[in-house]
Amino acid sequence: MPDSVATESATQSLKKKHPNIPYRKLGKTQLYCSEIGLGAYRIEENNESHQEALEYALNEGVNLIDTSSNYSDGGSERLIGTVLNNAFHTQQQQRDEVIIVSKAGYIQGKVWDYVQERKKSNTSYQEVCELDYGLAHCIHPEFLYDQLCLSLERLQLETIDIFLLHNPEYFLMHAQQKGIKKEQAQKDYLDRIKKAFDYLEEEVQNGRINYFGISSNTFPDPKNSATLTPLDKIIEFKHPHFAVIQCPLNLFESNAIHEKNQPNNLSCLQLAQKHNLGVLINRPLNAYHKKQLICLRDLIENNDIDPDPTHALNELIDLEQSLINSINISEKIADEKDQEELTNIFNSATYIHENWEKIPGFEEAKQFFFHYIHPRLNYAIDKLHQQTPFTQDEEIHLQRYLQQLNSVASSIIQHKREQRINELHKIKSSLQSNASLQQDTLSQSAVTAIRHCPEVSTVLVGMRQKAYVQDQLNGLKTEIKQPNKHLWKDLKNTLKNIL
């Protein structure tokens, strides 16, 4: 009967099958993992391009897949399960060659709805931290048990190789909201993690997981931070199957390297290496810097859209006033509060005119229009439609207005995009000037920088298209025989003044 988990011998054999792919040992697990792994955060079920990318990555020797119970509301695990099941049955891959990582902790989407139903029936999970409507967190053993059952079912596996607590620091954020003192919050935090680890050790004995660990954005936090996940204290629990940590690291968020928040002036990565923990790096290409999201990929210039929104904005303001005069909100809506709300929404052109230059970056501009302006207007239009159907004249005014709004959005996004392209060119030029990072694309150079860290086992890259997989495979052709010890110090000095 074939192994139901990844094994040292099989992953070592896979390494020999793919001599052009560099592999590293995943800490004390002794498993060999490709230096890039597939991060499945935005992988969606029934998406052909996502499926194609995953199949291609596996066939080319990428043998670590990182997902979570909450990714795409379970859809990420379902697609991975489908691809793996097909690959194992056709013997394109063997189960013992592939390392599957999943996580649990978030309460969102369907799980949020389920948790609310349990509350109504007085069967609530214990130790749930509700942070906002639609977002809560829990690492209590009962919740972890249910999530593990669901993950195994969706992934169509008997055993998950690595099972991680997913951002347990949400408890610390919740404690801050509740005004709990830092010392007490940290004590309670560690108690909860230990209880979760005790349970996960039982699941190792049950054969449903092989190793476990923590994915936390706050492993690299400063030592005095109220949200620090203290790696040294967790290591002191001495759970034998605690084997892997995951944290962010990229060109602009390098605390995992530079922040000496562990005993003996060590960083979290250095302490992980000292204790032979595998290290998975997330967000290598999505950097948060000065309240901006910077996607570290080459952007293609688009000259079809006018990046100067001035004329389009002035026209939108005129159309908006004409629309307001046409639909006469006060006649359609009786409630004064509703009138005020809808009038404010239909003042979007003025709001955009006053605020668009303050939008910090390209990604934020897309968020501004697609997740703020457009949903508000759709809400207002639906509310007006519910009261009285629009006349033909009103509908004409509305469609002209919405069409012009789309033109304004495209122009402003293009303006911010061109600014970002110039910034990315500067970043890429800076990286290319370093012999250790000379690659064809910015994304290859950004990942190569992380591969120069000897503490890192694999870099998780969100490769939802075959082209993204190929891009990173090309970057792996540059073998790192001797890591550049001074690279990250040089990068910190070089990049600090670019943005």
Side-chain angles (χ1 to χ4, degrees):
M1 183 176 177
D3 287 300
S4 62
V5 294
T7 65
E8 179 183 0
S9 59
T11 54
Q12 190 166 13
S13 295
L14 183 73
K15 179 176 180 287
K16 293 175 183 175
K17 289 182 194 175
H18 297 278
N20 295 326
I21 301 288
Y23 294 78
R24 296 184 185 183
K25 275 194 176 181
L26 185 61
K28 67 172 71 171
T29 72
Q30 300 298 303
L31 301 171
Y32 284 86
C33 59
S34 47
E35 287 191 12
I36 59 165
L38 193 143
Y41 169 51
R42 294 169 65 191
I43 292 289
E44 296 175 355
E45 188 180 15
N46 300 321
N47 187 305
E48 290 184 8
S49 64
H50 294 179
Q51 180 169 337
E52 181 186 35
L54 178 54
E55 290 170 343
Y56 180 65
L58 286 168
N59 290 336
E60 294 298 313
V62 175
N63 76 324
L64 189 143
I65 303 171
D66 175 88
T67 185
S68 180
S69 58
N70 69 311
Y71 290 171
S72 298
D73 214 2
S76 174
E77 288 183 329
R78 280 189 291 271
L79 179 63
I80 292 166
T82 298
V83 169
L84 291 177
N85 190 48
N86 291 340
F88 298 157
H89 273 85
T90 58
Q91 297 190 335
Q92 289 178 293
Q93 271 83 38
Q94 303 299 318
R95 169 65 185 99
D96 52 7
E97 297 172 335
V98 184
I99 303 167
I100 304 301
V101 182
S102 197
K103 307 184 281 289
Y106 277 89
I107 297 174
Q108 294 174 298
K110 293 177 183 176
V111 178
W112 168 269
D113 295 337
Y114 173 66
V115 168
Q116 301 315 302
E117 289 301 315
R118 285 185 61 131
K119 284 171 68 175
K120 292 175 185 176
S121 61
N122 295 318
T123 58
S124 299
Y125 289 113
Q126 299 179 53
E127 300 179 353
V128 172
C129 304
E130 288 198 11
L131 289 102
D132 203 347
Y133 182 80
L135 173 63
H137 199 276
C138 184
I139 58 168
H140 188 272
E142 183 188 8
F143 179 74
L144 294 177
Y145 173 85
D146 286 351
Q147 293 300 292
L148 176 57
C149 289
L150 290 169
S151 290
L152 287 167
E153 180 182 340
R154 290 188 289 245
L155 290 164
Q156 303 181 49
L157 297 176
E158 296 176 18
T159 307
I160 293 174
D161 299 293
I162 314 288
F163 191 77
L164 304 179
L165 304 182
H166 197 179
N167 291 349
E169 66 271 15
Y170 270 96
F171 167 77
L172 296 173
M173 300 173 193
H174 184 255
Q176 283 185 306
Q177 288 180 359
K178 297 293 184 182
I180 299 172
K181 290 185 178 180
K182 175 184 167 184
E183 293 76 14
Q184 185 61 49
Q186 278 285 334
K187 179 182 181 302
D188 294 344
Y189 185 44
L190 289 169
D191 287 345
R192 291 185 179 210
I193 291 174
K194 184 178 185 304
K195 187 190 300 182
F197 275 18
D198 289 344
Y199 159 71
L200 293 176
E201 283 290 354
E202 293 176 13
E203 289 293 5
V204 173
Q205 300 308 313
N206 294 336
R208 299 209 303 165
I209 63 174
N210 212 17
Y211 295 96
F212 58 84
I214 297 176
S215 174
S216 173
N217 291 332
T218 65
F219 275 131
D221 273 12
K223 183 180 278 189
N224 62 352
S225 169
T227 55
L228 172 70
T229 298
L231 182 58
D232 57 324
K233 303 295 184 187
I234 295 166
I235 288 171
E236 288 175 6
F237 294 154
K238 298 188 184 303
H239 286 85
H241 292 90
F242 170 43
V244 174
I245 67 166
Q246 183 179 140
C247 67
L249 173 63
N250 54 62
L251 296 177
F252 291 94
E253 296 174 279
S254 55
N255 274 6
I257 295 170
H258 294 122
E259 190 66 47
K260 307 299 183 180
N261 61 5
Q262 300 300 315
N264 301 316
N265 202 35
L266 298 178
S267 68
C268 65
L269 291 191
Q270 289 171 324
L271 187 65
Q273 184 183 47
K274 180 180 177 181
H275 290 271
N276 200 21
L277 297 176
V279 174
L280 311 179
I281 293 300
N282 59 40
R283 289 203 293 105
L285 302 179
N286 288 334
Y288 288 95
H289 179 67
K290 295 182 179 178
K291 299 182 179 180
Q292 298 182 52
L293 172 61
I294 304 166
C295 293
L296 297 166
R297 298 183 188 272
D298 294 316
L299 283 176
I300 300 172
E301 295 189 26
N302 182 356
N303 297 318
D304 295 334
I305 301 172
D306 183 2
D308 183 0
T310 307
H311 176 72
L313 257 174
N314 289 336
E315 188 173 341
L316 181 67
I317 290 171
D318 292 340
L319 284 171
E320 185 170 80
Q321 188 57 55
S322 175
L323 176 65
I324 291 170
N325 293 337
S326 170
I327 60 177
N328 201 339
I329 292 172
S330 61
E331 288 187 4
K332 290 181 181 290
I333 303 293
D335 186 87
E336 290 186 4
K337 286 186 177 179
D338 286 347
Q339 287 179 19
E340 183 179 358
E341 179 188 33
L342 297 188
T343 300
N344 285 336
I345 292 174
F346 279 107
N347 196 34
S348 293
T350 302
Y351 182 79
I352 295 167
H353 186 268
E354 293 173 351
N355 290 279
W356 76 270
E357 291 181 306
K358 301 173 189 175
I359 300 172
F362 165 54
E363 295 294 338
E364 288 77 12
K366 292 194 291 184
Q367 288 282 331
F368 176 73
F369 282 102
F370 302 137
H371 295 279
Y372 179 69
I373 295 295
H374 283 87
R376 278 164 51 87
L377 279 167
N378 289 336
Y379 162 78
I381 292 165
D382 288 344
K383 193 149 190 171
L384 289 170
H385 268 303
Q386 290 169 12
Q387 299 300 317
T388 311
F390 281 17
T391 66
Q392 185 176 2
D393 186 54
E394 289 170 344
E395 195 66 47
I396 290 171
H397 276 84
L398 177 63
Q399 293 308 316
R400 288 178 61 199
Y401 171 73
L402 292 176
Q403 185 176 5
Q404 187 63 23
L405 175 63
N406 288 335
S407 296
V408 167
S410 297
S411 184
I412 290 175
I413 290 169
Q414 178 64 10
H415 179 88
K416 298 293 181 179
R417 181 186 177 89
E418 289 194 357
Q419 288 181 338
R420 179 53 44 81
I421 287 172
N422 290 333
E423 293 165 349
L424 293 174
H425 280 327
K426 292 178 184 177
I427 294 169
K428 187 175 181 179
S429 296
S430 176
L431 298 181
Q432 297 285 10
S433 66
N434 190 310
S436 300
L437 300 178
Q438 289 177 356
Q439 295 274 21
D440 293 333
T441 66
L442 173 57
S443 52
Q444 290 173 10
S445 295
V447 170
T448 301
I450 301 171
R451 291 173 54 222
H452 271 276
C453 300
E455 306 94 339
V456 171
S457 307
T458 195
V459 185
L460 302 171
V461 186
M463 299 180 288
R464 293 175 295 139
Q465 296 179 29
K466 185 178 176 180
Y468 294 164
V469 180
Q470 186 61 63
D471 174 65
Q472 287 303 317
L473 290 174
N474 289 338
L476 290 182
K477 291 176 183 177
T478 302
E479 186 179 358
I480 299 173
K481 295 180 179 178
Q482 188 66 40
N484 183 338
K485 295 181 180 179
H486 304 291
L487 176 65
W488 280 88
K489 183 179 179 181
D490 295 342
L491 282 174
K492 190 174 183 179
N493 293 331
T494 303
L495 295 174
K496 66 181 179 182
N497 295 321
I498 286 183
L499 296 181

